[in-house]
């Protein structure tokens, strides 16, 4: 999909139907900024806007893979204050994320959740085709562990954002993005897999 701003109106529609939803958010950035260049709605602010409108069940929000530079001395402070679980990338380095996803499944329970996956959550060695790459990110195998770890949850929607093919002449980022979307479709409720 496009930039992460698209998640905001999607969550408005889902919350209108289901009430506040849980969120599994994979990203290099928290996307809880307030303004940029005087604008309140931009790709770095969707989840702050969602909190302000009561679209998220904040005790059921998990952000995985967060890292990189920031304009704030504590870039995770806002999310933690809202009740988000923030899992920095360094807590994911060189390990399976299956144990984390067991905890996430328990946290999410049976109520509706949304998966929002920013391709820059992955290391740019695997997905360079994005506008805001950050080094030392997740691997494709970890991305699969996260998505497959959501199987059995009450998923009411999902997205994959920030793929910018013009920044990757190899086409690997688009290939990876397409495969991650396929995996998301496979974990939707009612989908039969072998």
């Amino acid at each position: 999909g496009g930039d992460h701003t698209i998640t905001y109106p999607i969550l408005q529609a889902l919350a209108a139907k289901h009430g506040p939803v849980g969120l599994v958010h994979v990203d290099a950035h928290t996307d809880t900024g307030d303004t940029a260049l005087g604008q309140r709605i931009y790709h770095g602010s969707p989840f702050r806007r969602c909190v302000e409108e009561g679209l998220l069940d904040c005790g059921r929000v998990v952000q995985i893979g967060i890292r990189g530079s920031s304009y704030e001395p504590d870039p995770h402070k806002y999310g933690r204050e809202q009740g988000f679980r923030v899992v920095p990338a360094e807590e994911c380095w060189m390990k399976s994320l299956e144990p984390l996803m067991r905890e996430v499944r328990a946290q999410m329970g049976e109520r509706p959740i949304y998966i929002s996956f920013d391709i820059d959550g992955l290391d740019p060695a695997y997905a360079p085709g994005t506008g805001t790459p950050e080094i030392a990110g997740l691997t494709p195998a970890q991305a699969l562990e996260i998505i497959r770890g959501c199987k059995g949850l009450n998923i009411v929607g999902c997205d994959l954002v920030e793929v910018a093919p013009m920044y990757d002449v190899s086409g690997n980022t688009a290939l990876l993005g397409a495969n991650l979307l396929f995996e998301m479709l496979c974990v939707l409720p009612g989908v039969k897999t072998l």
Side-chain angles (χ1 to χ4, degrees):
D3 77 36
H4 224 149
T5 309
I6 68 168
T7 306
Y8 176 40
I10 294 169
L11 288 174
Q12 286 175 318
L14 289 172
K17 180 174 182 177
H18 301 283
V21 299
L23 176 69
V24 175
H25 172 211
V26 181
D27 204 321
H29 312 98
T30 62
D31 290 353
T32 56
D34 193 13
T35 62
L37 302 173
Q39 299 300 310
R40 290 177 46 80
I41 298 175
Y42 72 103
H43 69 100
S45 72
F47 300 114
R48 181 178 288 245
R49 303 289 85 90
C50 289
V51 167
E52 292 168 350
E53 291 186 25
L55 309 178
L56 296 173
D57 180 355
C58 293
R60 294 189 315 119
V61 172
V62 178
Q63 298 183 306
I64 304 170
I66 308 301
R67 63 191 188 283
S69 57
S70 172
Y71 297 112
E72 304 290 330
D74 183 0
H76 311 141
K77 181 180 178 191
Y78 176 84
R80 285 195 316 265
E81 287 175 347
Q82 307 314 308
F84 295 5
R85 179 176 183 180
V86 180
V87 183
E90 55 264 27
E91 291 181 18
C92 303
W93 292 344
M94 297 176 281
K95 65 172 118 174
S96 169
L97 299 187
E98 286 184 359
L100 169 66
M101 293 312 296
R102 280 194 294 275
E103 294 173 9
V104 168
R105 278 195 306 279
Q107 180 180 354
M108 295 298 156
E110 296 180 4
R111 296 191 312 268
I113 72 146
Y114 187 82
I115 302 170
S116 189
F117 202 115
D118 187 322
I119 200 71
D120 73 22
L122 295 172
D123 191 272
Y126 306 107
T130 188
T132 52
E134 301 281 1
I135 66 163
L138 303 175
T139 68
Q142 290 173 317
L144 292 178
E145 287 179 320
I146 293 167
I147 295 168
R148 291 176 182 179
C150 291
K151 186 170 181 64
L153 294 176
N154 184 9
I155 302 165
V156 294
C158 51
D159 65 44
L160 184 127
V161 298
E162 300 284 352
V163 174
M166 68 271 205
Y167 297 141
D168 181 5
V169 295
S170 73
N172 285 341
T173 307
L175 174 66
L176 182 53
N179 277 273
L180 295 178
L181 280 170
F182 173 79
E183 293 284 336
M184 286 184 220
L185 292 172
C186 290
V187 298
L188 291 175
V191 173
K192 304 266 191 249
T193 57
L194 299 175

